[in-house]
């Protein structure tokens, strides 16, 4: 794997453009306390998020190919303009295997980012893209690293078509979290919700009242999920908190052993060390008229878990601010 030389500590956050694996261009964001994020222009793809101690918080498969046109396996793939197989396009659409550009003139953001390391990327359709998805758009992505090591992704998708026609899309931040052991992990915040089970032809069920744990393959789309979801890793005593806006659904996926063995770019045992919890728009597609813009924001933080009577205290996590 390619490495980046550490830049000497400076008074503020830093942004560096350099070569990554197989010569693919990437951007490295660093915060003063030591946290960092790596984003590849290929796919507009976040592949690394490290805390102040240099611990990797995202999972990327050791077998990930990092070679176009294959998408990168792990990190945070962007699913656009189609989630999964819900439409005529390739699985999860094409944004994750296109070459993005650095956006040097982004429109203003409402929130101040002076204290953050950030980068703005943009994707516009190519001639070939217009043959399979015949709509003009601008997809702007801001990746920002906060002073406390929080990772923020903001997607803004605008219909720039001059033909007067609206278009619809589904979307997900397909985040792969790094976990100690999938059997030691539980997800809080999705209890009692309705979900579509991808392992049962998207049949609709209602989740039970308990936190979600993992003993076999899971591939579910939770509908109307709350704006805050927590992933509790007992062994690492770490909790990931997802905060989302404009993204009503949440997808939870772990392939387990059988499916892991069937994926060429995924190690046979790697399913034990990852969990996807994805902020998404799946059930009801977004429709944009010409000139309209949609915004979807994801904020990720990693906090120490607290033990309470042998159990992690979910209330402390869910109400963490």
């Amino acid at each position: 794997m390619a490495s980046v030389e550490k830049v000497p500590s400076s008074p503020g956050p830093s942004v560096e453009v350099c070569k990554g694996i197989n010569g693919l261009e990437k951007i490295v964001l660093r915060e003063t306390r030591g946290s960092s994020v790596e984003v590849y222009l290929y796919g507009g793809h976040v592949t690394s998020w490290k805390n102040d101690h240099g611990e990797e918080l995202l999972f990327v498969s050791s077998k990930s190919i990092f070679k176009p046109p294959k998408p990168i396996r792990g990190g945070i793939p962007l699913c656009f303009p189609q989630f999964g197989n819900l439409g005529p396009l390739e699985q999860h659409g094409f944004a994750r295997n296109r070459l993005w550009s650095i956006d040097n003139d982004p429109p203003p953001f409402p929130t101040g980012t002076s204290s953050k390391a950030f980068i703005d990327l943009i994707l516009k359709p190519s001639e070939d893209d217009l043959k399979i998805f015949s709509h003009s758009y601008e997809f702007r992505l801001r990746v920002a690293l906060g002073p406390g090591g929080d990772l923020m992704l903001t997607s803004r998708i605008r219909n720039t078509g001059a033909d007067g026609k609206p278009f619809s899309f589904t979307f997900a931040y397909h985040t792969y979290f790094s976990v100690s052991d999938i059997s030691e992990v539980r997800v809080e915040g999705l209890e009692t919700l309705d979900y579509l089970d991808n392992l049962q032809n998207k049949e609709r069920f209602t989740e039970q009242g308990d936190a979600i744990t993992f003993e076999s393959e899971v591939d579910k789309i939770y509908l109307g999920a709350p704006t805050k979801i927590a992933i509790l890793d007992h062994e690492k005593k770490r909790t990931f908190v997802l905060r989302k806006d404009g993204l009503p659904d949440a997808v939870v996926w772990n392939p387990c052993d059988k499916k892991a063995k069937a994926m060429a770019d995924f190690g046979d045992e790697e399913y034990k060390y990852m969990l996807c919890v994805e902020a998404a728009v799946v059930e009801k597609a977004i429709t944009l008229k010409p000139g309209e813009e949609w915004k979807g924001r994801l904020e990720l933080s990693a906090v120490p878990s607290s033990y309470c009577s042998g159990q992690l205290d979910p209330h402390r996590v869910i109400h963490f601010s």
Side-chain angles (χ1 to χ4, degrees):
M1 292 230 171
S3 61
V4 177
E5 285 184 23
K6 186 129 183 164
V7 173
S9 58
S10 58
S14 69
V15 179
E16 179 189 4
V17 181
C18 54
K19 296 288 185 193
I21 298 165
N22 293 333
L24 294 172
E25 202 163 26
K26 70 177 179 181
I27 298 104
V28 182
L29 309 178
R30 288 191 187 85
E31 261 301 331
T32 12
R33 294 184 205 165
S35 57
S36 66
V37 166
E38 297 188 5
V39 194
Y40 275 74
L41 288 181
Y42 179 59
H45 199 131
V46 173
T47 57
S48 174
W49 170 38
K50 291 180 180 175
N51 64 16
D52 295 359
H53 307 295
E55 295 169 316
E56 182 57 67
L57 303 173
L58 297 178
F59 166 88
V60 173
S61 173
S62 63
K63 295 196 169 185
S64 187
I65 294 160
F66 283 85
K67 206 170 189 180
K70 186 80 178 166
I72 296 166
R73 171 70 70 183
I76 310 181
L78 299 171
C79 304
F80 171 85
Q82 175 185 301
F83 175 80
N85 57 4
L86 299 172
L89 302 174
E90 61 191 280
Q91 173 86 357
H92 290 322
F94 50 73
R96 64 185 183 147
N97 54 16
R98 295 295 186 267
L99 197 60
W100 291 55
S101 305
I102 293 175
D103 186 2
N104 293 313
D105 188 26
F109 266 71
T111 51
T113 44
S114 55
S115 62
K116 302 182 181 84
F118 66 91
I119 189 75
D120 289 293
L121 304 182
I122 187 166
L123 179 69
K124 296 179 183 180
S126 67
E127 299 265 322
D128 287 341
D129 292 341
L130 289 168
K131 291 174 187 169
I132 56 170
F133 185 73
S134 58
H135 307 286
S136 293
Y137 62 86
E138 286 179 352
F139 185 159
R140 285 185 154 88
L141 173 71
R142 173 167 288 192
V143 181
L145 181 63
D150 294 354
L151 171 58
M152 287 145 284
L153 289 91
T154 306
S155 289
R156 298 194 290 181
I157 296 167
R158 179 178 290 275
N159 182 342
T160 57
D163 56 6
K165 291 180 183 173
F167 69 79
S168 299
F169 64 90
T170 48
F171 176 93
Y173 292 111
H174 197 316
T175 310
Y176 288 72
F177 292 94
S178 173
V179 299
S180 57
D181 186 314
I182 190 64
S183 66
E184 295 287 327
V185 171
R186 63 189 232 216
V187 176
E188 304 265 5
L190 302 175
E191 303 86 343
T192 72
L193 293 183
D194 283 3
Y195 66 86
L196 308 178
D197 194 334
N198 283 323
L199 304 179
Q200 301 194 50
N201 295 316
K202 296 188 173 60
E203 196 176 333
R204 193 175 184 126
F205 297 94
T206 302
E207 189 58 68
Q208 300 307 303
D210 300 325
I212 299 159
T213 55
F214 302 89
E215 294 164 6
S216 56
E217 185 184 353
V218 173
D219 191 354
K220 297 176 179 179
I221 302 165
Y222 289 87
L223 309 174
T227 56
K228 199 181 290 186
I229 301 166
I231 303 165
L232 293 75
D233 188 333
H234 294 243
E235 201 168 299
K236 280 191 176 160
K237 297 184 174 61
R238 174 190 293 149
T239 296
F240 292 109
V241 181
L242 286 79
R243 294 175 179 85
K244 59 190 184 66
D245 184 48
L247 300 151
D249 305 320
V251 182
V252 177
W253 179 66
N254 182 283
C256 212
D257 53 347
K258 195 174 174 185
K259 196 157 280 185
K261 289 184 172 75
M263 292 189 283
D265 61 347
F266 194 93
D268 290 356
E269 300 291 314
E270 286 186 329
Y271 71 92
K272 295 175 182 175
Y273 310 113
M274 55 70 65
L275 175 64
C276 288
V277 179
E278 312 164 31
V281 180
V282 180
E283 187 189 26
K284 294 174 184 165
I286 301 292
T287 299
L288 294 178
K289 295 173 185 167
E292 286 186 336
E293 182 179 271
W294 169 84
K295 185 165 89 169
R297 187 169 176 274
L298 173 66
E299 183 176 332
L300 304 177
S301 52
V303 298
S305 303
S306 64
Y307 274 76
C308 178
S309 308
Q311 294 286 314
L312 288 163
D313 180 356
H315 300 292
R316 177 168 173 183
V317 172
I318 293 299
H319 301 300
F320 192 92
S321 59

